[in-house]
Amino acid sequence: MTETTDETSADPVAVLLVDDNRDWLTLVVQRLREEAPDFDVRAADSVDGALDCLTDDVECVVSDYYMPGRTGIELLAAVREDRPDLPFLLFTGAGNEGLASSALSAGADDYIVKTSVGDSAAALATRVRTAVDKHRTERALAESEARYRTLVENVRDAIFVARDGAVVLVNEAATTLTGYDRAALLAGDIVETVVHPDDRVRVRDALDLSAPQSLDIRIRTRGGETRHCILDVDHVIDDGLPGTIGVLRDITAQVHHQRRLERERDTKEAIREILVRHSSRMEVAEAFCRYIGSDPETAVAWVGERTAGGGLDPLAVEGDGSYLRAASVLDADAAVRRDSSEPSLTAFREGATVVRAVGDERAPDDGWTTAAAAASIETAVAVALRYGGVDYGVLGVYNRGANDDRERRRLEELAETLSYALSTAESREALVADEVVRVRLSVRDDEAGILAVGDALGGDAELVVHTVLPRGDSERYFVTVRGATEAAVTDALASIDGVTPGDVTAGEGVVRAQFDTVAPSLGTAIADAGGVLHRIVVAAGEATVVVDLPRRRPAGPFVEALAAAFDSVVMTARNHRSVESDIGASVLAGLTDRQRESLEVAYRTGYFERPKRRSAAEVAEAIGVSRSTFTQHLRAAQRKVFAELFDGERDGA
């Protein structure tokens, strides 16, 4: 208080003296200026005159009681109407203490008994200074509190101040965050009212400790929603008494975002494991369904594959499949024909994503919602499975809770990966199948890339493509050429835009060449459409493409997918081809894609010849891996080949 008084007294003080005795008034003004040089003393000899002199800078009024016309009490009343907190002192004569008491009751701040002019001036200076300092201090505190409250009310974080276990202040942000009004927060135990039951002990301990604390906690809003918050607790002196201030910062959005990132990371890791560990269509579909079904909210997840008749057969089902039977989803041929509104069948039929809530009155219903309700299913997300222009079926996920846009997008991403995995698995199965559909195509589109190479070689040359490897934004071709010299092949490859020449060597009547083309080219289009390249022969401006398809795959969609990518695509032959079970098929079935790729490219580039035409480092560069990785894949492939050759023969002997 002393520091505040000294600081406020340093400013000039404007004092208004009011007395009808002009002589006495003149003497007091003179002596007061001598006693207090920092006072700006002004004088008035009537109530009306005083009111005229009462400017905004006047900080204290000192008035006689007895004056003609209107008294000092009446002046006090008039002053209080406009300046209710302005210090007001009353002069009284000796023996008028009763009158002074009445003046104090009427709102005067103090009274001074008139004695001699000198004594009156000294006493007046002291009383004025005391009254003004008090007023200045109170005004400064009020302004400080107003600024504090303005700050507290305008911050986004919820703030509360507690004393002796009771909340004495909360801001508007606290009511917004919790859903409770101020009265509810101030009346009860805020910890019991707001804090999640599992976090209450930690919060009470933090409030009891004298050191600052910061905790991750949960709160329960009035509507029952759980919000994640950071609670910062500190201990303060409030109005001279010890108290606690708490600041709640809502971090629910950040927590959910972090959880989504963790979920996405876990999803990527889980999918990577699925793709590495499983190779057949059924294994892949079952693994995807198991992963999706591991969510406790998932009632059933299933993958339906396209049948030859245009319907759906279950490839994998995880969870309670009774709904699928009750909703006639597994009777897909009939259901599709009658245009069922069931989500999985609709998504498959329309080639789209379908999201439906069972309780949505706007959702069409031809019986499936009754079956869903009986299985406690609330929402369904179904995504058509399509890759490379080929329809593989549908992924259907039925949940006990609600779905949002993020969940829909997550399932669409999973469906995209699943479609790719099914395409890859189907192509792998075609390599070792007992029966495949062999398709022969004619392609006359220069955009196919490989045709440009044939044109550059000239009409007498025949180019045969043996292997095509994807290389990010390009493709690497391994070919043999007849009817052209090594120099002619080298010059032809160097002359074509979009082609990057590689190794070119001649031997045994053919030229072996390696080159890259900008993707997507014919090789990528064949793989994306689900075909297994057998060979491509380019001669006389035409590419004859021979592709094997899985027996169950119709050739029409495959041809349509290629025709959408290139002009002048015509299917010239299609037949079912039986493949005898031999060591080649058995070995291919046991090799991973990388092992098969390493083995084939090593063979195509002359790695196994003596002397070697290509070193391990050169073959590794050709397939885009390190030398040690190539060697690892190659040795693993060789072990499998030898095991099949020797152990297989012994087992069959």
Side-chain angles (χ1 to χ4, degrees):
M1 180 71 73
T2 302
E3 293 180 359
T4 303
T5 301
D6 290 344
E7 183 177 343
T8 55
S9 295
D11 297 329
V13 179
V15 181
L16 177 60
L17 295 182
V18 187
D19 198 305
D20 63 323
N21 186 337
R22 295 183 181 181
D23 292 336
W24 194 88
L25 180 61
T26 301
L27 289 174
V28 172
V29 169
Q30 180 180 349
R31 291 299 301 274
L32 186 58
R33 287 171 176 168
E34 294 172 357
E35 288 284 341
D38 58 320
F39 281 12
D40 175 12
V41 184
R42 305 167 191 181
D45 59 4
S46 66
V47 171
D48 292 338
L51 293 176
D52 290 339
C53 295
L54 190 61
T55 56
D56 291 341
D57 61 331
V58 172
E59 293 189 81
C60 185
V61 176
V62 182
S63 174
D64 190 18
Y65 178 78
Y66 293 107
M67 289 182 291
R70 300 170 71 181
T71 68
I73 295 297
E74 291 177 289
L75 175 59
L76 172 61
V79 169
R80 286 287 181 257
E81 289 181 4
D82 294 329
R83 305 278 295 276
D85 57 347
L86 181 66
F88 193 102
L89 281 63
L90 197 67
F91 266 133
T92 66
N96 288 327
E97 284 78 2
L99 181 61
S101 178
S102 298
L104 293 177
S105 299
D109 293 276
D110 204 350
Y111 70 93
I112 303 170
V113 178
K114 282 186 178 181
T115 56
S116 66
V117 172
D119 292 342
S120 295
L124 180 59
T126 300
R127 300 290 182 87
V128 167
R129 196 180 303 281
T130 299
V132 169
D133 283 347
K134 178 182 178 184
H135 177 251
R136 287 181 174 181
T137 300
E138 290 175 348
R139 184 175 61 188
L141 289 173
E143 291 174 353
S144 176
E145 182 177 353
R147 288 194 298 270
Y148 167 74
R149 289 186 178 276
T150 299
L151 175 64
V152 167
E153 289 298 337
N154 284 280
V155 297
R156 294 184 178 181
D157 295 337
I159 296 177
F160 67 88
V161 176
R163 188 185 304 125
D164 295 331
V167 176
V168 296
L169 182 148
V170 292
N171 65 349
E172 186 66 26
T175 66
T176 302
L177 174 60
T178 65
Y180 293 95
D181 58 24
R182 291 180 192 267
L185 294 175
L186 293 172
D189 181 339
I190 193 170
V191 176
E192 192 71 25
T193 302
V194 172
V195 179
H196 190 283
D198 294 343
D199 295 333
R200 288 172 186 166
V201 172
R202 292 194 302 122
V203 172
R204 292 191 191 280
D205 289 344
L207 294 177
D208 290 340
L209 295 174
S210 59
Q213 301 286 311
S214 183
L215 303 94
D216 291 337
I217 69 166
R218 292 159 295 171
I219 67 168
R220 286 278 183 84
T221 68
R222 185 178 182 183
E225 181 185 7
T226 298
R227 308 291 295 178
H228 296 266
C229 297
I230 295 291
L231 171 62
D232 290 316
V233 176
D234 203 354
H235 296 268
V236 296
I237 301 299
D238 182 46
D239 286 345
L241 299 173
T244 302
I245 184 169
V247 179
L248 271 175
R249 182 177 305 110
D250 187 1
I251 60 168
T252 305
Q254 296 94 310
V255 170
H256 287 174
H257 177 67
Q258 183 62 32
R259 288 181 177 177
R260 285 196 299 273
L261 293 178
E262 292 174 355
R263 187 175 185 180
E264 290 173 1
R265 182 194 63 206
D266 293 344
T267 297
K268 291 177 181 178
E269 181 63 22
I271 298 308
R272 188 191 70 80
E273 286 295 315
I274 290 173
L275 298 179
V276 169
R277 292 179 178 274
H278 304 286
S279 56
S280 73
R281 290 178 303 109
M282 182 171 292
E283 288 176 347
V284 168
E286 288 176 345
F288 267 81
C289 286
R290 278 196 304 272
Y291 172 73
I292 297 171
S294 63
D295 188 334
E297 289 292 303
T298 301
V300 58
W302 85 299
V303 173
E305 66 174 347
R306 184 188 187 100
T307 65
L312 287 171
D313 275 344
L315 187 60
V317 178
E318 182 70 20
D320 185 1
S322 60
Y323 160 76
L324 300 176
R325 293 185 292 273
S328 299
V329 178
L330 302 184
D331 185 17
D333 290 335
V336 169
R337 283 196 297 270
R338 67 171 182 264
D339 294 332
S340 170
S341 66
E342 201 284 328
S344 287
L345 300 180
T346 303
F348 171 65
R349 186 176 62 248
E350 298 178 356
T353 299
V354 175
V355 181
R356 286 182 179 153
V358 173
D360 188 350
E361 297 179 354
R362 298 169 297 177
D365 176 26
D366 43 34
W368 74 270
T369 58
T370 302
S376 300
I377 293 171
E378 293 185 20
T379 54
V381 180
V383 188
L385 300 175
R386 185 177 179 83
Y387 185 79
V390 178
D391 292 322
Y392 289 93
V394 68
L395 168 65
V397 181
Y398 301 82
N399 289 333
R400 300 183 182 91
N403 284 315
D404 56 18
D405 286 342
R406 288 191 296 270
E407 180 66 8
R408 174 185 61 79
R409 289 194 295 270
R410 185 180 79 93
L411 291 176
E412 285 179 332
E413 291 172 359
L414 286 174
E416 183 179 356
T417 305
L418 174 58
S419 300
Y420 165 76
L422 291 174
S423 173
T424 302
E426 200 167 65
S427 298
R428 187 184 295 114
E429 290 170 2
L431 291 172
V432 296
D434 294 335
E435 186 176 351
V436 297
V437 176
R438 176 155 291 180
V439 178
R440 186 184 300 269
L441 304 166
S442 170
V443 180
R444 293 179 175 271
D445 187 345
D446 289 341
E447 295 297 323
I450 193 67
L451 278 169
V453 177
D455 290 343
L457 290 171
D460 296 333
E462 179 186 77
L463 181 151
V464 179
V465 178
H466 300 285
T467 305
V468 182
L469 300 180
R471 298 271 295 183
D473 294 334
S474 64
E475 292 177 335
R476 179 154 293 177
Y477 279 75
F478 296 87
V479 304
T480 56
V481 181
R482 296 183 183 276
T485 64
E486 178 180 348
V489 173
T490 300
D491 292 342
L493 293 177
S495 69
I496 305 171
D497 291 337
V499 171
T500 303
D503 294 325
V504 179
T505 58
E508 300 179 0
V510 298
V511 176
R512 296 181 178 87
Q514 169 191 324
F515 57 87
D516 293 349
T517 67
V518 177
S521 68
L522 193 56
T524 298
I526 291 171
D528 287 348
V532 177
L533 177 64
H534 183 67
R535 69 176 180 274
I536 301 175
V537 179
V538 180
E542 178 182 5
T544 300
V545 181
V546 182
V547 176
D548 288 338
L549 300 175
R551 179 178 55 83
R552 57 175 295 279
R553 172 84 60 81
F558 171 79
V559 177
E560 291 174 2
L562 285 190
F566 304 104
D567 295 332
S568 303
V569 175
V570 178
M571 183 169 65
T572 58
R574 179 185 65 184
N575 57 75
H576 287 264
R577 178 175 176 270
S578 296
V579 181
E580 295 183 2
S581 178
D582 55 20
I583 186 172
S586 300
V587 167
L588 288 176
L591 297 181
T592 66
D593 291 342
R594 271 301 192 185
Q595 290 167 358
R596 181 180 183 278
E597 182 180 280
S598 299
L599 193 62
E600 181 174 0
V601 174
Y603 168 73
R604 298 288 182 196
T605 57
Y607 175 78
F608 296 113
E609 296 178 10
R610 290 291 180 269
K612 290 183 178 181
R613 288 194 295 111
R614 292 291 176 267
S615 66
E618 291 171 323
V619 180
E621 193 280 329
I623 61 178
V625 298
S626 66
R627 182 182 185 281
S628 60
T629 299
F630 161 70
T631 304
Q632 178 183 353
H633 289 315
L634 183 64
R635 288 176 178 171
Q638 289 173 321
R639 281 196 301 271
K640 290 181 180 180
V641 169
F642 296 147
E644 186 65 32
L645 175 64
F646 298 117
D647 295 341
E649 284 188 350
R650 184 162 51 251
D651 292 342

